[in-house]
Amino acid sequence: MPKGMVTVPFNPQLVNTGGKLVLIDCGSGMGAYEQTKGAVGRMMQNLAAAGVDPKSIDVVLMSHLHPDHANGIRAADGSMAFPNAEIMVPTKDWDFWMSEENAAKAQSNEMMKGYFANVKRSTPASNPR
């Protein structure tokens, strides 16, 4: 591993409640929304291997809107990856990332500036909750 690099394993969780399929977070995504390379961005292949059609997901519950948890909400073509799912985001997290004041403060920090741009690009236009 290169010096100064950290590996952070992360796995979205699919929960069958008996009545609904709930996806907790949706990973890094693929295509235009992919932020990382290597052994990530395989959620759709893993769902297919488990016999789960993305259209059958009832709820996508985002713990927070960092790219490694939320970018998988969009398919490579920009469409919603889980077209029939209710998207849920904690209100405090949504309000933080949608705040123009917070986005303006982030302009001096390249990482945070990129995070704000990413959230605007990858999430639905209005509070999904």
Side-chain angles (χ1 to χ4, degrees):
M1 182 156 201
K3 185 176 180 171
M5 300 295 289
V6 176
T7 297
V8 181
F10 173 72
N11 294 302
Q13 303 293 308
L14 181 64
V15 177
N16 185 337
T17 68
K20 293 188 182 234
L21 280 178
V22 179
L23 183 62
I24 302 171
D25 290 329
C26 52
S28 293
M30 308 252 334
Y33 298 98
E34 186 177 9
Q35 296 294 308
T36 54
K37 306 288 181 208
V40 298
R42 296 181 183 166
M43 187 184 56
M44 299 307 261
Q45 295 94 319
N46 290 336
L47 287 174
V52 176
D53 182 338
K55 293 177 185 168
S56 70
I57 304 291
D58 299 299
V59 177
V60 175
L61 174 61
M62 306 260 206
S63 63
H64 62 287
L65 296 176
H66 284 174
D68 58 333
H69 295 258
N71 276 10
I73 197 68
R74 298 253 181 212
D77 66 3
S79 65
M80 296 304 288
F82 310 98
N84 299 319
E86 174 185 8
I87 310 300
M88 299 178 77
V89 177
T91 300
K92 286 190 182 231
D93 200 59
W94 181 266
D95 291 347
F96 175 83
W97 291 108
M98 293 301 130
S99 165
E100 292 300 324
E101 182 180 342
N102 289 342
K105 289 177 188 175
Q107 294 306 303
S108 62
N109 180 302
E110 285 304 311
M111 182 183 81
M112 289 300 291
K113 180 179 172 181
Y115 273 29
F116 273 91
N118 181 72
V119 167
K120 297 261 188 208
R121 178 178 66 229
S122 63
T123 59
S126 62
N127 189 339
R129 191 153 201 250

